[in-house]
């Protein structure tokens, strides 16, 4: 890239000219993570990544930065020496740039896909995420669902080589396939060497002269797929499960990543859940609560009969053992808890009201112990 076409290094990293070292480093990390060729497959990502590296290489080195601030791009040209005879001028190679493995380890869990020798090594593909919506019952007992998934795969036209049919990648003439270039400098009779990523091939060690027309030389393409997946019985809302090998294809022959499927459960009209237990409220009449009744209770397995005992109070909860949701990976199930709510009748006729008054007058205090206890306490408070 000719210097007249270059952007200012501070502009490339998006920092001010008086930016501190840590600000420059943070800006570089953020941009490098965004445009690294292993994660960004846009056409210009690799060029931007090289531009970011070049800017950081200069601005992270105090000597180079000082020369750049004073002389511009010419100040960091290897052939530029404003102080002829000064043996220290231009010394240092790429020392300020540091180890790419250390930097990219923060982003990709163990460094970039480039080995110490510079050549690219196999890298596992990235995981991808999808979401599926299921009913309450489907989550409880498991089901099959079809997912629409878009993932990165090796190009089927070139087999992942990136080359047009009938052609092969060529060894980079600058680095001879190593992915790195070395510069040599002499100082006081000593020869000093430094290495950097090859600017011609970007560290790949290979050049594609005739790119594949489908993947444009990338070797990988995005493709939509329909996948049939098994939703495990007992999975809860917001939980996820993994399908191995269904993520993005790996680079340079590396294994594919995984598909992570997050489950969203639609609310149920009657039931709620807490883990593997199911809860519901069941309205019953005053008469059913007072004298007891045999009622039908809804469960995930259908209706079951349950005998409400005489004198049941509103808010009473009873348990239906084993009528809850299966534990994931097991046949055992949680329980169902049914809370009865005694419903007070409304819109009564005059005859019904009169019958209730007669019933209330005929009801002894023994039949309403809570009511009697309350009024006894109130009498002691106010009648003493």
């Amino acid at each position: 890239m000719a210097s007249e076409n270059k952007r200012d290094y501070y502009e490339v990293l998006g920092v001010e000219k008086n930016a501190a070292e840590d600000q420059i480093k943070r800006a570089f990390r953020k941009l490098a993570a965004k445009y690294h060729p292993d994660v960004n497959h846009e056409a210009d990502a690799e060029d931007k990544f090289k531009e970011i590296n070049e800017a950081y290489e200069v601005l992270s080195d105090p000597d180079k930065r000082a020369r750049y601030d004073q002389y511009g791009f010419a100040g960091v040209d290897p052939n530029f020496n404003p102080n002829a005879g000064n043996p220290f001028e231009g010394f240092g190679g790429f020392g300020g740039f540091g180890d790419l493995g250390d930097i990219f380890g923060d982003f990709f869990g163990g460094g970039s896909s480039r080995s110490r020798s510079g050549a690219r090594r196999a890298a596992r593909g990235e995981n991808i995420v999808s979401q599926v919506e299921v009913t309450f019952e489907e989550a409880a007992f498991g089901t099959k669902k079809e997912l629409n998934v878009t993932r990165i795969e090796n190009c089927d036209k070139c087999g992942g080589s990136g080359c047009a049919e009938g052609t092969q990648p060529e060894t980079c003439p600058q680095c001879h396939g190593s992915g790195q270039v070395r510069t040599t400098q002499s100082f006081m009779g000593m020869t000093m060497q430094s290495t950097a990523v090859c600017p011609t091939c970007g560290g790949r060690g290979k050049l594609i002269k005739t790119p594949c027309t489908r993947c444009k030389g990338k070797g990988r393409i995005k493709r939509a797929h329909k996948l049939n997946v098994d939703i495990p019985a007992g999975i809860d809302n917001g939980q996820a499960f993994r399908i191995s090998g269904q993520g993005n294809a790996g680079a340079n022959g590396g294994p594919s990543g995984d598909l992570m499927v997050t489950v969203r459960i639609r609310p149920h009209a009657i039931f709620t859940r807490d883990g593997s237990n199911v809860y519901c409220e069941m309205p019953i009449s005053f008469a059913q609560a007072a004298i007891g009744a045999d009622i039908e209770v809804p469960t995930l397995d259908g209706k079951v009969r349950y005998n409400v005992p005489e004198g049941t109070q509103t808010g009473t909860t009873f348990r239906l053992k084993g009528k809850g949701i299966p534990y994931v990976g097991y046949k055992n199930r949680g329980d169902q808890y049914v809370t009865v709510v005694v419903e007070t009748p409304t819109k009564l006729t005059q005859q019904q009201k009169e019958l209730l008054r007669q019933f209330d007058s005929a009801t002894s205090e023994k039949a309403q112990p809570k009511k009697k206890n309350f009024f006894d306490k109130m009498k002691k408070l106010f009648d003493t």
Side-chain angles (χ1 to χ4, degrees):
M1 184 184 294
S3 61
E4 60 267 20
N5 295 325
K6 288 185 178 181
R7 290 197 298 153
D8 177 72
Y9 288 148
Y10 292 100
E11 179 186 345
V12 171
L13 296 184
V15 297
E16 299 292 335
K17 287 194 175 183
N18 60 351
E21 290 183 13
D22 60 335
Q23 292 177 302
I24 292 173
K25 189 172 185 178
R26 284 198 301 270
F28 167 72
R29 286 172 178 266
K30 183 178 179 180
L31 292 170
K34 181 178 180 181
Y35 291 107
H36 193 282
D38 287 348
V39 297
N40 190 319
H41 306 289
E42 296 177 0
D44 61 344
E46 188 169 336
D47 290 337
K48 288 183 178 179
F49 182 69
K50 291 178 183 178
E51 183 183 42
I52 293 162
N53 283 344
E54 182 180 330
Y56 182 72
E57 176 189 326
V58 172
L59 300 184
S60 63
D61 185 306
D63 292 335
K64 290 183 180 181
R65 183 178 179 182
R67 294 201 305 272
Y68 176 72
D69 289 343
Q70 185 174 0
Y71 301 106
F73 294 111
V76 291
D77 189 308
N79 299 318
F80 178 76
N81 190 348
N83 301 313
N86 183 353
F88 293 96
E89 187 65 35
F91 176 71
F94 300 95
F97 187 62
D99 187 352
L100 275 175
D102 294 337
I103 294 170
F104 293 117
D106 293 343
F107 304 127
F108 309 113
S112 71
S113 61
R114 193 174 289 116
S115 67
R116 292 283 182 182
S117 65
R120 292 196 171 234
R121 57 177 172 79
R124 182 180 181 276
E126 302 89 353
N127 292 340
I128 60 175
V129 178
S130 184
Q131 186 179 81
V132 61
E133 186 176 81
V134 297
T135 66
F136 195 92
E137 290 85 356
E138 287 173 335
F141 299 117
T143 187
K144 288 184 180 290
K145 288 287 182 180
E146 185 179 77
L147 299 183
N148 294 315
V149 175
T150 300
R151 64 190 180 197
I152 296 172
E153 298 182 342
N154 288 327
C155 176
D156 56 351
K157 187 170 184 178
C158 67
S161 70
C163 297
E165 187 176 359
T167 66
Q168 295 291 331
E170 299 179 9
T171 301
C172 175
Q174 184 170 357
C175 68
H176 306 292
S178 69
Q180 289 186 336
V181 292
R182 291 191 176 193
T183 58
T184 303
Q185 294 177 330
S186 295
F187 169 60
M188 299 180 66
M190 296 184 295
T191 300
M192 309 297 292
Q193 291 186 334
S194 59
T195 61
V197 175
C198 176
T200 301
C201 66
R204 289 179 170 83
K206 300 286 184 180
L207 292 176
I208 298 175
K209 295 291 187 181
T210 310
C212 169
T213 56
R214 179 168 297 175
C215 66
K216 311 301 181 185
K218 298 295 183 181
R220 304 200 296 175
I221 57 175
K222 282 188 176 181
R223 178 172 291 174
H225 284 273
K226 292 185 182 294
L227 294 179
N228 290 312
V229 300
D230 292 316
I231 309 299
I235 196 163
D236 208 344
N237 189 54
Q239 289 183 335
F241 60 95
R242 180 191 303 269
I243 303 178
S244 299
Q246 293 296 333
N248 288 337
N252 304 304
S256 296
D258 299 333
L259 169 63
M260 307 298 295
V261 182
T262 303
V263 175
R264 180 181 179 277
I265 302 175
R266 290 199 292 269
H268 196 276
I270 295 176
F271 302 123
T272 59
R273 66 180 285 184
D274 182 7
S276 291
N277 293 327
V278 174
Y279 297 83
C280 75
E281 286 189 348
M282 181 87 181
I284 61 174
S285 69
F286 173 76
Q288 288 174 319
I291 62 177
D294 193 29
I295 63 173
E296 283 188 336
V297 178
T299 73
L300 291 173
D301 302 306
K303 296 178 181 178
V304 299
R305 304 296 299 183
Y306 186 83
N307 184 260
V308 177
E310 178 180 331
T312 295
Q313 302 297 312
T314 190
T316 299
T317 300
F318 56 86
R319 182 178 71 161
L320 301 178
K321 191 174 181 180
K323 290 296 183 181
I325 293 171
Y327 297 97
V328 177
Y330 296 90
K331 293 182 178 179
N332 295 342
R333 296 171 60 175
D335 301 326
Q336 178 171 330
Y337 293 89
V338 181
T339 300
V340 294
V341 179
V342 179
E343 186 174 21
T344 302
T346 60
K347 298 180 181 179
L348 299 175
T349 65
Q350 289 299 322
Q351 181 182 7
Q352 290 169 333
K353 292 178 181 178
E354 183 58 34
L355 289 172
L356 283 176
R357 292 189 186 97
Q358 294 176 18
F359 170 80
D360 188 55
S361 298
T363 303
S364 66
E365 290 184 342
K366 292 182 179 180
Q368 302 179 81
K370 289 185 179 180
K371 179 179 178 181
K372 179 180 184 302
N373 186 44
F374 177 80
F375 282 105
D376 285 346
K377 291 178 180 178
M378 189 170 68
K379 185 176 181 180
K380 290 180 180 179
L381 287 172
F382 298 103
D383 293 348
T384 55

